[in-house]
């Protein structure tokens, strides 16, 4: 070893010893290093510096220069081989030239002529295709792999920039809503059709881990769990988590099919990461063999609940839910909310929630709100149906101790007294919105609060946020107003419910109401479809 290399090695070893003294032998890094050294020794894959690095000197080689000589010999052999290859190329080149060392005159003429002809053809082709080149950027040669790249006009480019700007605005809005919910310490219900919101739930993971370390110290246990549907999505989320390793020493790992289970078990045996990105099937396999525990997890995100259910992970999701501690904060992100997704989401999110959505459409704002429509023909049938609804709501409020309000929207003001009397009999505290003395109720003994208002009355949107059950009594107003009201109720719960009672007066709005229900993934009753068909026949005739 040269003197310069020796000095560099001593300097490096000194820095290592200083770092070890500063870290101490009682830290987890030291223990993990010992475990890794032991594992490599048993597997026979020790590093060069962990065994007999150099052989002992012998009388034939007293200075241990055998290895250096072998490297020098290999280098000389490589140079000799290169010289031989160069000489062989020169000999093959001489075979193409005449014996007198000059090319034949005829061959030179032929090659020069062919090159000139090829050049003229290229120039002519460039002139002929000059106009086409303005619309097409470079046709790559290569047979079937040739690709025409269209040139984007300024008009299209401006439109693309607007789309990108709107997408960035939506992502920022969604991230702000998600972070605000976690700052309040409640669960999050995210509704979005975009797949670029991984950053919204990855960034708060650093805060959760920092708080856990401040309270419990550096334990190297799973603190954050991200559930995704596929291997590709797991790798994408894992890539976003990688910068946290260098910045905050937060280790993350992706567990998914496509990698052997033994390989993942060996990796988890060295160090259990703080962030786990996993698919439900592989996570259940690792939990079954007790590779790690989820008892210390404080932040869970389910990215794509609808995709997980459509791929048949319903049982795995129920199993994982049983392993999670009850105090963990949960965030669920889904693009659609059919009946199955709503049921599982309500099972995961039982407490108060904050909604996050990338757009203000009714399907996104009314996620996990059940919308039911009943077609009735008589006034007695309407009163009987609303009585059953109120009984169900009262029982639910007694069982869950829920303080959500009930809002009844009516068509005419003369329907107020009948409904308020019915609400009092069911135990509610009715309150009429409007200010008329005849509408004010004198009883306040009921536990639940029920509001009665006229559909065309101006209603405070902040009041609608606390409404858990909306009853549209004698529905006949526009579907646009229906969507606007539904999008504002039940903002802090996943148990929102909308009951709509329709008569023949709602035939004109039946078609539009069906469109709203279909976009919100709600079942359509057959009687409502018949009502819409009858209305269309009347209009056509």
């Amino acid at each position: 070893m040269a003197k310069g290399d020796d000095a560099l090695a001593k300097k490096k070893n000194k820095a290592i010893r200083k770092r070890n003294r500063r870290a101490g032998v009682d830290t987890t890094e030291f223990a993990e290093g010992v475990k890794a050294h032991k594992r490599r020794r048993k597997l026979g894959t020790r590093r060069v510096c962990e065994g007999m690095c150099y052989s002992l000197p012998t009388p034939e080689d007293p200075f241990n220069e055998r290895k250096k000589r072998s490297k020098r010999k290999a280098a000389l052999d490589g140079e000799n081989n290169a010289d031989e290859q160069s000489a062989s190329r020169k000999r093959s080149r001489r075979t193409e030239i005449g014996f007198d060392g000059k090319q034949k005159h005829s061959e030179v003429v032929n090659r020069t002529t062919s090159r000139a002809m090829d050049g003229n053809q290229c120039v002519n082709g460039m002139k002929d295709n000059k106009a086409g080149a303005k619309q097409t950027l470079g046709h790559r040669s290569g047979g079937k792999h040739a690709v025409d790249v269209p040139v984007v006009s300024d008009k299209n480019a401006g439109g693309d920039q607007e789309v990108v700007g709107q997408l960035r605005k939506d992502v920022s809005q969604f991230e702000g809503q998600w972070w605000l919910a976690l700052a309040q310490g409640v669960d999050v219900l995210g509704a979005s059709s975009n797949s670029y919101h991984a950053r919204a739930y990855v960034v708060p993971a650093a805060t959760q881990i920092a708080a856990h370390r401040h309270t419990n110290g550096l334990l190297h246990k799973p603190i954050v769990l991200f559930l995704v549907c596929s291997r590709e999505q797991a790798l994408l989320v894992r890539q976003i988590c990688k910068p946290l390793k260098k910045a905050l020493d937060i280790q993350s790992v992706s567990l998914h099919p496509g990698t052997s289970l033994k390989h993942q078990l060996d990796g988890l045996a060295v160090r259990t990461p703080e962030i786990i990105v996993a698919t439900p099937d592989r996570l259940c396999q690792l939990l079954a063999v007790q590779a790690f525990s989820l008892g210390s997890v404080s932040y869970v995100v389910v990215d794509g609940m609808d995709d997980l259910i459509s791929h048949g992970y319903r049982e795995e999701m129920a199993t994982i839910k049983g392993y999670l501690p009850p105090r963990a904060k949960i965030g669920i992100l889904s693009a659609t909310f059919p009946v199955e997704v709503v049921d599982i989401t309500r099972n995961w999110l039982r407490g108060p929630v904050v909604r996050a959505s990338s757009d203000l459409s009714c399907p996104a704002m009314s996620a996990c709100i059940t919308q039911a429509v009943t077609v009735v023909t008589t006034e007695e049938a309407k009163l009987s149906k609303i009585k059953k609804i109120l009984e169900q709501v009262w029982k639910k409020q007694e069982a869950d101790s829920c303080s959500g309000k009930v809002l009844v929207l009516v068509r005419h003001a003369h329907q107020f007294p009948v409904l308020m009397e019915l609400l009092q009999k069911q135990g509610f505290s009715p309150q009429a919105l409007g200010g008329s003395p005849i509408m004010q109720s004198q009883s306040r003994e009921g536990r639940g609060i029920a509001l009665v208002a006229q559909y065309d009355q101006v209603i405070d949107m902040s009041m609608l946020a606390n409404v858990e059950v909306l009853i549209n009594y004698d529905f006949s107003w526009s579907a646009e107003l229906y969507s606007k009201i539904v999008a504002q109720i039940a903002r802090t719960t996943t148990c929102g419910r909308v009951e709509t009672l329709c008569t023949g007066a709602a035939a004109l709005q039946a078609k539009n109401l069906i469109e709203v229900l279909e976009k919100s993934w709600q079942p359509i009753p057959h009687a409502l479809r018949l009502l819409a068909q009858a209305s269309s026949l009347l209009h056509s005739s």
Side-chain angles (χ1 to χ4, degrees):
M1 180 180 293
K3 184 176 181 181
D5 296 339
D6 193 8
L8 291 176
K10 288 182 179 180
K11 185 177 180 181
K12 182 178 179 182
N13 293 336
K14 184 178 180 181
I16 293 174
R17 290 193 301 270
K18 185 177 180 181
R19 184 172 65 249
N20 291 339
R21 286 195 301 269
R22 184 170 59 251
V25 297
D26 297 332
T27 59
T28 55
E29 288 83 357
F30 182 82
E32 290 172 1
V34 174
K35 291 180 181 179
H37 169 77
K38 185 176 181 180
R39 187 182 70 258
R40 288 193 297 267
R41 179 172 55 81
K42 289 183 176 181
L43 294 177
T45 57
R46 291 188 298 176
R47 298 174 181 174
V48 177
C49 60
E50 292 177 350
M52 287 295 294
C53 303
Y54 308 101
S55 58
L56 295 175
T58 59
E60 293 80 9
D61 186 17
F63 299 102
N64 247 357
E65 294 180 347
R66 180 171 50 216
K67 189 174 182 180
K68 295 181 180 180
R69 285 199 301 269
S70 61
K71 288 184 178 180
R72 191 180 301 112
K73 184 179 179 181
L76 293 175
D77 293 341
E79 292 178 358
N80 296 333
N81 294 335
D83 295 340
E84 292 179 0
Q85 292 177 2
S86 177
S88 62
R89 285 195 298 268
K90 290 180 180 179
R91 286 193 298 269
S92 61
R93 179 63 176 166
R94 291 193 185 98
T95 57
E96 297 178 359
I97 303 176
F99 292 103
D100 55 351
K102 298 180 181 180
Q103 290 183 333
K104 296 181 180 179
H105 180 71
S106 59
E107 292 181 2
V108 174
V109 172
N110 292 336
R111 292 182 182 180
T112 306
T113 305
S114 62
R115 290 175 183 176
M117 293 176 63
D118 294 340
N120 293 332
Q121 290 178 359
C122 293
V123 172
N124 294 332
M126 291 174 64
K127 291 180 180 180
D128 295 338
N129 297 331
K130 186 176 182 180
K134 294 181 180 180
Q135 300 296 329
T136 305
L137 244 186
H139 183 80
R140 295 185 180 182
S141 60
K144 63 179 181 180
H145 299 289
V147 178
D148 290 330
V149 182
V151 178
V152 181
S153 63
D154 296 338
K155 183 177 179 181
N156 294 336
D160 295 340
Q161 291 177 0
E162 291 179 0
V163 171
V164 172
Q166 183 66 27
L167 180 60
R168 291 178 179 174
K169 181 180 178 181
D170 294 342
V171 170
S172 301
Q173 179 183 1
F174 185 86
E175 290 175 354
Q177 294 172 351
W178 194 283
W179 298 341
L180 179 62
L182 293 177
Q184 296 176 358
V186 296
D187 297 336
V188 193
L189 176 61
S192 175
S193 58
N194 296 329
S195 58
Y196 306 102
H197 294 327
R199 188 178 61 179
Y201 58 81
V202 169
V203 173
T207 306
Q208 298 292 328
I209 296 173
H212 191 276
R213 287 178 176 178
H214 180 73
T215 305
N216 304 315
L218 194 63
L219 301 179
H220 294 299
K221 292 183 179 180
I223 303 173
V224 177
L225 174 62
F226 297 144
L227 292 175
V228 295
C229 183
S230 61
R231 173 180 177 271
E232 292 74 16
Q233 190 177 3
L235 295 176
L236 176 62
V237 177
R238 168 76 169 81
Q239 191 68 24
I240 300 176
C241 297
K242 280 185 177 181
L244 298 177
K245 168 62 178 175
K246 185 176 182 180
L248 302 173
D249 192 24
I250 296 177
Q251 186 75 23
S252 60
V253 68
S254 59
L255 307 175
H256 50 76
T259 305
S260 63
L261 186 63
K262 184 179 181 303
H263 177 71
Q264 294 180 351
L265 287 172
D266 294 340
L268 293 172
V270 178
R271 175 178 175 179
T272 303
E274 290 87 358
I275 299 178
I276 293 180
V277 186
T279 56
D281 51 351
R282 180 51 58 92
L283 181 60
C284 289
Q285 292 176 1
L286 294 171
L287 291 175
V289 297
Q290 298 180 356
F292 53 86
S293 174
L294 299 180
S296 59
V297 172
S298 61
Y299 178 43
V300 184
V301 176
V302 181
D303 191 352
M305 178 67 82
D306 51 348
D307 293 335
L308 292 171
I309 302 304
S310 62
H311 283 74
Y313 290 135
R314 184 164 188 169
E315 295 181 358
E316 287 82 355
M317 295 296 293
T319 304
I320 295 171
K321 182 65 170 62
Y323 282 99
L324 296 175
R327 65 181 184 279
K329 298 178 184 178
I330 300 177
I332 292 181
L333 184 62
S334 181
T336 60
F337 288 88
V339 178
E340 293 184 352
V341 175
V342 171
D343 293 340
I344 297 178
T345 302
R346 288 176 175 174
N347 185 29
W348 278 66
L349 305 177
R350 293 184 176 273
V353 300
V354 171
R355 296 175 178 267
S357 58
S358 60
D359 55 74
L360 301 178
S361 62
C362 181
M365 299 290 288
S366 62
C368 285
I369 296 180
T370 303
Q371 305 177 43
V373 179
T374 305
V375 179
V376 294
T377 56
T378 62
E379 192 71 21
E380 291 77 10
K382 264 195 300 187
L383 291 175
S384 176
K385 179 63 177 178
I386 195 174
K387 183 178 179 180
K388 292 180 180 179
I389 295 172
L390 292 175
E391 288 178 354
Q392 295 174 1
V393 173
W394 182 254
K395 291 180 180 179
K396 184 177 181 300
Q397 288 188 352
E398 284 186 337
D400 301 338
S401 299
C402 183
S403 60
K405 298 179 181 179
V406 178
L407 175 62
V408 182
L409 293 180
V410 298
R411 184 180 180 185
H412 301 291
H414 64 79
Q415 298 171 330
F416 276 55
V418 178
L419 290 174
M420 295 184 72
E421 183 180 357
L422 181 60
L423 290 169
Q424 277 186 340
K425 290 181 180 180
Q426 297 298 324
F428 289 91
S429 298
Q431 299 177 10
L433 301 180
S436 178
I438 196 174
M439 300 177 187
Q440 300 299 332
S441 173
Q442 302 298 328
S443 176
R444 295 291 184 270
E445 297 179 358
R447 289 182 57 189
I449 298 176
L451 307 175
V452 183
Q454 202 167 344
Y455 79 94
D456 56 353
Q457 183 179 340
V458 178
I459 303 175
D460 188 9
M461 293 301 175
S462 61
M463 183 272 296
L464 289 177
N466 298 323
V467 172
E468 185 175 342
V469 180
L470 172 64
I471 301 176
N472 294 314
Y473 187 79
D474 197 6
F475 173 78
S476 60
W477 43 90
S478 65
E480 182 179 358
L481 179 61
Y482 171 88
S483 302
K484 184 178 179 181
I485 297 176
V486 170
Q488 297 297 327
I489 68 170
R491 306 312 300 165
T492 59
T493 180
T494 59
C495 299
R497 180 180 177 184
V498 179
E499 294 285 347
T500 304
L501 305 180
C502 295
T503 58
L508 297 177
Q509 300 296 332
K511 182 178 179 181
N512 296 332
L513 182 59
I514 289 175
E515 293 179 358
V516 173
L517 294 176
E518 287 178 346
K519 291 179 180 179
S520 301
W521 313 283
Q522 302 294 327
I524 312 298
H526 182 64
L528 185 62
R529 294 188 182 275
L530 293 178
L531 198 62
Q533 292 176 3
S535 176
S536 62
L537 289 176
L538 289 176
H539 280 287
S540 62
S541 62

